[in-house]
């Protein structure tokens, strides 16, 4: 499967449309791409042509499932993949030129500081497990209704009505986009049951192929595996689709190094227990075997 990724990387680098993007870094981009992976026998889509920090990616997914939108629990676990956005806002609004490590430490140590500066707004976690609802009052005013837990609803629909075409988790809450630090990239997940196997599909509106993709693909597969475990289904396929799939121009060294490598080996995932629900998984429940990647390739993240 990894050749699908490397081929896409090469095609974008050679033929992608070049533009100055929102971040100012510049990208080359292709529109409308698909990558498929079969989850049978515990297999997981982990790139082998560079080390992917699957525990970091898993911690992010588990954090989404808690409904949390503050980076504090991530920073407390040494996960800094979201720190740049609150840090950027803090620097702009205060003029304080604090570095990432010091900012993260302050987020962990100072609860009030974290509450003031660590929140990303109603991003994935909020929309996934507590999508806001509104109820009309008699006088034409609206009151907040109970939030919708889309993840719990999908477990329910997969269990009661596996043949449904509505097993969807949506992050793109149009009314709340302005309040988010970043609008969702991996915005829509849909699940499908056939012959007792659960497949998962992701529609990603914008994909940083050099950096984010490896995390996004892992998380799609992990979420699908967790749902399969909870719903007593076998893992099927994952189908990743990207709309604007791009390479940042400052990822040239990564692209060059990674395209010179050849995929080798494959990784599997086993759960060490069956947690009581989708909201009870811990990092210790994940056991990855057979992962022997080539060296990590560092690349800067565009903020
Ligand atoms: N912003 C950009 N520019 N690209 C992205 O993929 C994303 N994301 C979210 C939101 N913002 C984004 C953040 N996800 C890394 C990985 C995932 C991220 C952000 C950064 C990253 O730097 N990974 C490094 C190692 C990080 C580490 O040391 O733990 C790597 O994989 O080499 C898309 O979801």
């Amino acid at each position: 499967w990894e050749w699908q990724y490397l081929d896409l990387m090469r095609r974008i680098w050679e033929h992608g449309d070049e533009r100055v993007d929102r971040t100012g870094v510049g990208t080359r981009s292709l529109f409308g791409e698909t990558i498929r992976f079969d989850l049978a026998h515990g297999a997981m889509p982990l790139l082998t042509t560079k080390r992917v920090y699957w525990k970091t990616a898993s911690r992010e997914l588990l954090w989404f499932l808690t409904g949390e939108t503050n980076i504090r629990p991530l920073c407390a676990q040494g996960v800094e993949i979201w720190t740049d956005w609150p840090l950027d806002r803090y620097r702009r609004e205060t003029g304080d030129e604090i570095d990432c490590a010091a900012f993260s430490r302050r987020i962990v140590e100072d609860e009030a500081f974290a509450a003031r500066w660590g929140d990303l707004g109603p991003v994935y976690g909020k929309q996934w497990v507590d999508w806001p609802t509104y109820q009309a009052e008699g006088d034409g005013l609206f009151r907040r209704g109970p939030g919708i837990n889309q993840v719990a609803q999908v477990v329910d629909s997969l269990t009661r009505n596996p043949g449904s075409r509505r097993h969807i988790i949506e992050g793109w809450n149009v009314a709340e986009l302005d309040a988010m630090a970043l609008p969702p990239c991996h915005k829509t997940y849909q699940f499908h049951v056939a012959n007792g196997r659960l497949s998962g599909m992701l529609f990603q509106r914008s994909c940083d192929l050099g950096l984010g993709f490896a995390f996004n693909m892992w998380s799609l597969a992990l979420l699908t595996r967790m749902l399969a475990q909870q719903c007593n289904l076998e893992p099927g396929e994952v189908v990743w689709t990207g709309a604007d799939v791009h390479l940042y121009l400052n990822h040239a060294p990564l692209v060059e190094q990674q395209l010179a490598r050849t995929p080798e080996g494959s990784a599997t995932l086993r759960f060490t227990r069956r947690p009581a629900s989708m909201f009870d998984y811990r990092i210790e429940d994940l056991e990855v075997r057979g992962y022997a990647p080539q060296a990590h390739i560092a690349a800067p993240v565009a903020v």
Side-chain angles (χ1 to χ4, degrees):
W1 82 280
E2 194 165 346
W3 288 108
Q4 298 173 74
Y5 174 78
L6 296 172
D7 288 346
L8 177 54
M9 186 177 250
R10 177 171 287 118
R11 274 193 291 123
I12 293 175
W13 199 244
E14 290 178 357
H15 307 296
D17 182 61
E18 194 164 311
R19 79 274 309 275
V20 177
D21 70 302
R22 168 188 62 81
T23 68
V25 173
T27 60
R28 282 183 205 150
S29 162
L30 288 177
F31 188 68
E33 296 289 343
T34 302
I35 291 178
R36 306 182 77 102
F37 183 89
D38 192 337
L39 299 172
H41 312 297
M44 287 295 273
L46 263 182
L47 300 179
T48 64
T49 48
K50 74 167 182 190
R51 179 173 294 280
V52 175
Y53 299 131
W54 61 267
K55 281 194 183 173
T56 301
S58 305
R59 288 188 165 109
E60 182 196 38
L61 184 73
L62 298 181
W63 170 72
F64 292 152
L65 291 169
T66 66
E68 182 61 77
T69 59
N70 198 296
I71 62 169
R72 192 168 191 228
L74 291 179
C75 295
Q77 299 175 78
V79 173
E80 304 295 352
I81 60 173
W82 278 97
T83 309
D84 283 315
W85 289 270
L87 171 61
D88 190 53
R89 181 169 74 95
Y90 175 76
R91 283 178 177 158
R92 266 187 286 114
E93 293 182 19
T94 65
D96 182 356
E97 278 302 313
I98 190 168
D99 70 25
C100 184
F103 179 75
S104 176
R105 210 174 316 118
R106 182 117 192 247
I107 290 279
V108 174
E109 287 168 3
D110 183 341
E111 190 174 348
F113 183 83
R116 174 71 182 84
W117 296 106
D119 207 86
L120 296 162
V123 294
Y124 305 97
K126 170 74 180 164
Q127 305 302 341
W128 284 15
V129 308
D130 190 23
W131 181 290
T133 63
Y134 309 92
Q135 292 172 342
E137 302 276 293
D139 54 9
L141 293 177
F142 287 83
R143 190 179 43 162
R144 257 211 131 93
I148 295 171
N149 186 333
Q150 299 185 71
V151 178
Q153 286 196 346
V154 162
V155 170
D156 202 56
S157 65
L158 286 171
T159 309
R160 288 173 199 264
N161 187 12
S164 170
R165 298 175 293 229
R166 300 176 185 178
H167 306 299
I168 289 178
I169 299 170
E170 179 59 64
W172 194 260
N173 185 338
V174 177
E176 302 207 322
L177 295 177
D178 284 348
M180 304 181 193
L182 278 177
C185 294
H186 41 101
K187 62 175 286 299
T188 305
Y189 292 80
Q190 184 170 342
F191 300 92
H192 179 86
V193 182
N195 305 312
R197 295 181 80 200
L198 177 71
S199 293
M201 178 157 172
L202 165 62
F203 175 88
Q204 184 160 348
R205 68 167 177 88
S206 169
C207 175
D208 176 347
L209 196 72
L211 213 47
F213 171 85
F215 279 50
N216 304 141
M217 189 73 185
W218 168 264
S219 298
L220 166 64
L222 178 56
L223 182 60
T224 304
R225 285 285 306 270
M226 290 163 64
L227 284 168
Q229 189 186 33
Q230 290 299 314
C231 301
N232 301 313
L233 294 161
E234 290 300 317
E237 254 189 312
V238 280
V239 184
W240 176 91
T241 62
D244 186 313
V245 188
H246 47 268
L247 285 167
Y248 282 99
L249 298 180
N250 63 359
H251 287 179
L254 171 132
V255 171
E256 195 185 321
Q257 282 182 69
Q258 206 163 352
L259 288 181
R261 295 180 178 180
T262 304
E264 51 191 19
S266 59
T268 59
L269 169 72
R270 192 178 79 85
F271 294 116
T272 57
R273 60 172 191 139
R274 187 177 184 282
S277 83
M278 284 298 287
F279 311 103
D280 295 299
Y281 285 78
R282 301 173 311 216
I283 196 73
E284 303 81 46
D285 300 330
L286 313 183
E287 188 180 278
V288 168
R289 289 201 187 150
Y291 189 46
Q294 296 168 66
H296 181 245
I297 306 173
V301 67
V303 181

